[in-house]
Amino acid sequence: MDTVSLAKRRYTTKAYDASRRISQATVDALLEQLRHSPSSVNSQPWHFIVADSAEGKARLAKSTSQGYAYNTPKLLDASHVIVFCTRTEMTEAHLDSVLDQEAADGRFRDDQARAAQNQSRRHYVDLHRFDLKDVQHWMEKQTYLALGTALLGAAALGLDATPIEGFDSKLLDAELGLRERGFTSVVMLCLGYRSEADFNAGLGKSRLPAAQVFTFL
């Protein structure tokens, strides 16, 4: 797969063809790629909510009604919308769950290896909890790694996509009951097929030149 061509081809879609739906097989493939996104020390501090019905997308669109109305049509017309959520706390239960899953997946040759992994992960969690005091920001950065994985995955599957930060996270959290579940919404991703009315589809891609963004040592 030529990932460079994918990166050059993909762009932020501004309008969707509401009549076109993504096949379930394609959605399943993208979600499986999303589930395998990288995260620091495999912390996986995220949860993803997928809306594919008109009712579900309308619930998400409530968060754009005040101040972000320009994003409402994207949410309603896209085939699917994914809400990327981040944990509000790195709980002991979550850390234990990740460790247990690693063990079930055969990551440890013995109890000593399991203990070492647990100690290493908790070292970084506590570094951000107590020393750097940025654990929420650190967890959100992992969620954005997942967003990048999804964007490239969508391009590989021939889908158009739009990452959206323009929404009221407090309203969305309340609508979905996220905070009671220990999560908060961070970013949404619209997925589908662009409309012929999408002005951005015909514009050339623009990035700063390589000489400006790379330093070689």
Side-chain angles (χ1 to χ4, degrees):
M1 181 183 298
D2 182 359
T3 56
V4 175
S5 294
L6 291 177
K8 289 182 175 180
R9 187 171 71 241
R10 70 147 305 277
Y11 74 103
T12 298
T13 301
K14 300 298 184 180
Y16 285 89
D17 182 345
S19 69
R20 298 189 65 187
R21 296 277 299 170
I22 304 171
S23 72
Q24 190 59 50
T26 300
V27 172
D28 291 344
L30 182 62
L31 295 182
E32 188 65 0
Q33 181 170 355
L34 181 57
R35 189 172 70 87
H36 284 84
S37 298
S39 60
S40 178
V41 293
N42 198 28
S43 52
Q44 304 176 63
W46 48 50
H47 186 76
F48 309 110
I49 295 177
V50 183
D52 65 348
S53 66
E55 295 77 12
K57 290 181 290 184
R59 291 181 66 188
L60 304 187
K62 293 178 182 179
S63 67
T64 61
S65 62
Q66 300 178 21
Y68 307 100
Y70 51 86
N71 281 326
T72 301
K74 303 183 189 78
L75 295 171
L76 297 179
D77 293 342
S79 173
H80 290 65
V81 182
I82 302 176
V83 183
F84 288 66
C85 309
T86 302
R87 303 190 69 85
T88 55
E89 181 184 358
M90 183 63 79
T91 65
E92 293 298 306
H94 177 69
L95 291 171
D96 289 342
S97 178
V98 171
L99 190 69
D100 289 344
Q101 188 63 55
E102 289 171 330
D105 290 335
R107 294 282 296 168
F108 310 125
R109 64 181 181 275
D110 52 33
D111 289 343
Q112 184 177 359
R114 176 185 173 121
Q117 172 69 357
N118 186 38
Q119 181 181 18
S120 175
R121 180 157 42 238
R122 287 171 180 273
H123 164 76
Y124 282 99
V125 170
D126 286 346
L127 174 68
H128 289 281
R129 273 176 177 165
F130 303 119
D131 299 334
L132 300 177
K133 304 185 189 310
D134 68 343
V135 67
Q136 186 64 35
H137 180 55
W138 177 68
M139 290 192 292
E140 289 179 1
K141 287 194 290 186
Q142 313 318 311
T143 305
Y144 272 83
L145 288 178
L147 175 64
T149 296
L151 285 170
L152 193 59
L157 292 167
L159 304 177
D160 293 307
T162 311
I164 292 180
E165 291 183 317
F167 66 95
D168 189 322
S169 63
K170 185 175 182 180
L171 283 177
L172 189 56
D173 288 0
E175 174 66 28
L176 301 178
L178 290 175
R179 298 186 185 184
E180 295 84 348
R181 298 168 61 188
F183 294 97
T184 184
S185 55
V186 176
V187 63
M188 289 192 279
L189 181 63
C190 294
L191 297 161
Y193 300 98
R194 64 178 177 265
S195 164
E196 292 183 0
D198 181 9
F199 71 90
N200 208 28
L203 300 179
K205 196 156 191 173
S206 177
R207 294 293 187 270
L208 293 170
Q212 192 169 337
V213 299
F214 295 114
T215 296
F216 298 94
L217 303 179

